[in-house]
């Protein structure tokens, strides 16, 4: 697999970190670590560190700080994240009136933009329980073009001026005169809106997103791009920015391009873009919030409607078989139970054609995988599919009164995001944010998995941490990274954290695992309401990409 990495050439320097807590399976009581160039050279005790002290180029005194592997966010939309960070983000708007005021202020502040871009609105969270009308947005923008995506990025609102820039939009599937745009209409309007972003705006947004990720201890991101998400220019420019030196903003960027493969030529073209796989947001369906996730039974709040199927089992099988034959990772976006049935049936059919062992070895992946059943969980395990999941979805929309319950009813909503069942079945997990759908927030993501709104789906903090560090690397086919052991890449973060503990979902877990004598490395206490760790330094390939107050 090809890989674009953030660090440039490395100086051959040796660094000793000591006097802290080093989270390593090599030594659960480690307090020190040696880094040589871009690799971990040694992990061990404070007493043993004395023997290295005179032979290193630099010693960092940790003063009790925690050192962990850097996080990998396994599902990110980098440019959109940067645009939200630097522009109009309605995710914090408490009501419709506030959202419209933010739109108005943004329009006044960005007089030079050809098209105004915004994201993050969620009418289900507002007391008015409705989205802005086109007339309201036309007034708020002064009649200018505005593209305003819903929080799930699967539907959007557009002003009249923007629709006028898309000939024939009213005849496309998914066009609604007063409602959010979905399907083909949404894709056409989004392409027109993002087509106006200048190279300078795009670079600014990408740099802002990567710098923000680095400040959160994130050492790598999986960019999930594709023709229905962003253009090739956006994808290639991001990979180039991530490899630029010495100005690279930090985290490694592993790019996925979501386009169907039916031939070796298709696979070669995707590789030529710099992609590590034909995966990510290759849509088998849409989203629950936009009523476009594909369900076996109708939505509770939309009787008779079962969402949208974008790929059937035969198309999925053809893609997986072609990718497997080409040695390319395949994957799909699938949320609804009907979409996940189609994906597992399609992958199983591909295995029947090219061989189960080859399909398993390719580590194909599924993004989101929310409405799983016992049957589809077992199929994930059988086919060695990686579940690339976003626990913050449950924190945002789960629970008895959340959006999931509104869309599906409480009984079906309780089945969503069954992380414990996935781990029990041996399904590999890789955690991410789907930013800007939910924010980049690795410790918050782990907290959301460990304190899932449905108790039976909770996993241990340690399990979630592993899925957010080593899991992202394993999803790429790398088993030698995401962990602090000799020989591993020197991708790590330093944290100010409180007492380290071993947190488990409930008392069904054996008591020995929480006893210090078990040798289980501790992690910060992530009990809801408590303060999350503060990142002090992020290092990628031995190069510091974020230096915080620790410095």
């Amino acid at each position: 697999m090809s890989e674009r990495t953030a660090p440039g050439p490395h100086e051959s320097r040796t660094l000793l970190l000591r006097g802290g807590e080093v989270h390593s399976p090599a030594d659960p009581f480690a307090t020190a670590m040696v880094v040589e160039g871009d690799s971990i050279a040694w992990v061990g005790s404070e007493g043993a560190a004395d023997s290295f002290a005179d032979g290193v180029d630099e010693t960092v005194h940790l003063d009790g700080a925690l050192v962990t592997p850097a996080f990998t966010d396994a599902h990110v939309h980098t440019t959109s994240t940067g645009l939200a960070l630097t522009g109009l983000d309605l995710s914090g708007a408490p009501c419709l009136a506030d959202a419209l005021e933010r739109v108005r202020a943004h329009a006044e502040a960005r007089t030079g933009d050809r098209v105004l871009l915004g994201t993050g609105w969620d009418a289900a969270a507002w007391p008015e329980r409705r989205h802005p009308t086109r007339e309201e947005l036309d007034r708020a923008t002064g009649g200018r073009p505005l593209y305003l995506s819903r929080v799930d990025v699967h539907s959007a609102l557009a002003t009249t001026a923007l629709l006028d820039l898309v000939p024939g939009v009213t005849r496309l599937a998914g066009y609604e005169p007063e409602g959010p745009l979905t399907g083909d209409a949404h894709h056409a309007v989004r392409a027109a809106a993002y087509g106006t972003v200048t190279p300078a705006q795009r670079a600014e947004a990408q740099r802002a997103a990567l710098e923000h990720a680095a400040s959160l201890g994130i050492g790598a991101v999986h960019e999930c791009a594709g023709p229905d998400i962003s253009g090739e220019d956006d994808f290639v420019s991001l990979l180039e920015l991530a490899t630029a030196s010495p100005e690279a903003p930090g985290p490694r960027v592993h790019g996925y391009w979501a386009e169907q493969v039916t031939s070796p030529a298709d696979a070669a073209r995707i590789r030529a873009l710099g992609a590590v796989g034909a995966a990510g947001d290759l849509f088998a369906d849409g989203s629950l919030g936009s009523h476009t996730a594909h369900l076996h039974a109708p939505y509770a709040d939309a009787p008779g409607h079962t969402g949208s199927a974008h790929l059937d089992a035969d198309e999925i099988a053809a893609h997986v078989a072609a990718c497997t034959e080409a040695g390319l990772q395949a994957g799909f976006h699938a949320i609804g139970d009907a979409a996940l049935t189609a994906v597992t049936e399609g992958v199983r059919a591909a295995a029947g054609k090219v061989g189960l062992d080859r399909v398993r070895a390719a580590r194909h992946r599924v993004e989101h995988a929310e409405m799983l059943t016992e049957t589809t969980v077992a199929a994930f395990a059988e086919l060695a599919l990686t579940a690339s999941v976003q626990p913050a979805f449950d924190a945002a929309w789960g629970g008895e009164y959340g959006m999931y319950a509104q869309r599906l009813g409480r009984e079906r909503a309780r089945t969503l995001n069954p992380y414990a069942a996935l781990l029990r079945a041996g399904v590999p997990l890789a955690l991410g944010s789907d930013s800007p759908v939910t924010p980049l927030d690795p410790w918050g993501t782990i907290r959301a998995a460990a304190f899932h709104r449905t108790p039976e789906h909770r996993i241990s903090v340690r399990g979630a941490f592993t899925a957010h560090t080593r899991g992202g690397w394993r999803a790429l086919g790398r088993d030698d990274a995401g962990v602090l052991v000799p020989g591993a890449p020197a991708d790590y973060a330093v944290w100010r954290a409180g007492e380290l503990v071993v947190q488990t979902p409930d008392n069904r877990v054996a008591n020995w695992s929480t006893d210090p004598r078990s040798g289980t490395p501790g992690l910060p206490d992530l009990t809801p309401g408590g303060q999350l760790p503060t990142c002090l330094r992020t290092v990628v390939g031995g190069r510091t990409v974020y230096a915080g107050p620790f410095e």
Side-chain angles (χ1 to χ4, degrees), residues 137-145 159-162:
L137 291 175
D138 286 346
R139 287 200 303 268
T141 60
R144 294 172 61 191
T159 55
T160 302
L162 177 56

Side-chain angles (χ1 to χ4, degrees), residues 439-451:
L440 298 169
D441 180 14
W443 288 112
T445 294
I446 294 170
R447 172 185 278 172
F451 295 92

Side-chain angles (χ1 to χ4, degrees), residues 121-190:
W121 64 269
D122 183 4
W126 293 340
E128 299 88 349
R129 295 285 179 174
R130 71 170 181 87
H131 58 75
T133 66
R134 189 186 305 169
E135 182 180 358
E136 287 171 332
L137 291 175
D138 286 346
R139 287 200 303 268
T141 60
R144 294 172 61 191
L146 166 70
Y147 169 82
L148 192 60
S149 63
R150 190 184 180 278
V151 64
D152 59 11
V153 201
H154 283 269
S155 60
L157 301 169
T159 55
T160 302
L162 177 56
L163 293 175
D164 289 344
L165 297 178
V166 188
V169 66
T170 59
R171 297 189 298 273
L172 295 177
Y175 174 80
E176 291 288 342
E178 292 301 330
L181 304 170
T182 60
D184 293 343
H186 176 219
H187 295 158
V189 170
R190 177 168 55 191

Side-chain angles (χ1 to χ4, degrees), residues 75 223-226 255-259 261 270 275-282 319 323 328-333 363-367:
H75 193 122
E223 167 68 11
C224 292
Y256 285 92
W257 185 253
E259 191 167 359
V261 172
I270 288 172
V276 298
D281 277 336
L282 182 52
H319 178 70
C323 287
L328 190 67
Q329 193 177 23
F332 305 91
H333 161 119
R363 303 191 190 191
H364 302 309
R365 54 191 281 170
V366 181
E367 310 302 312

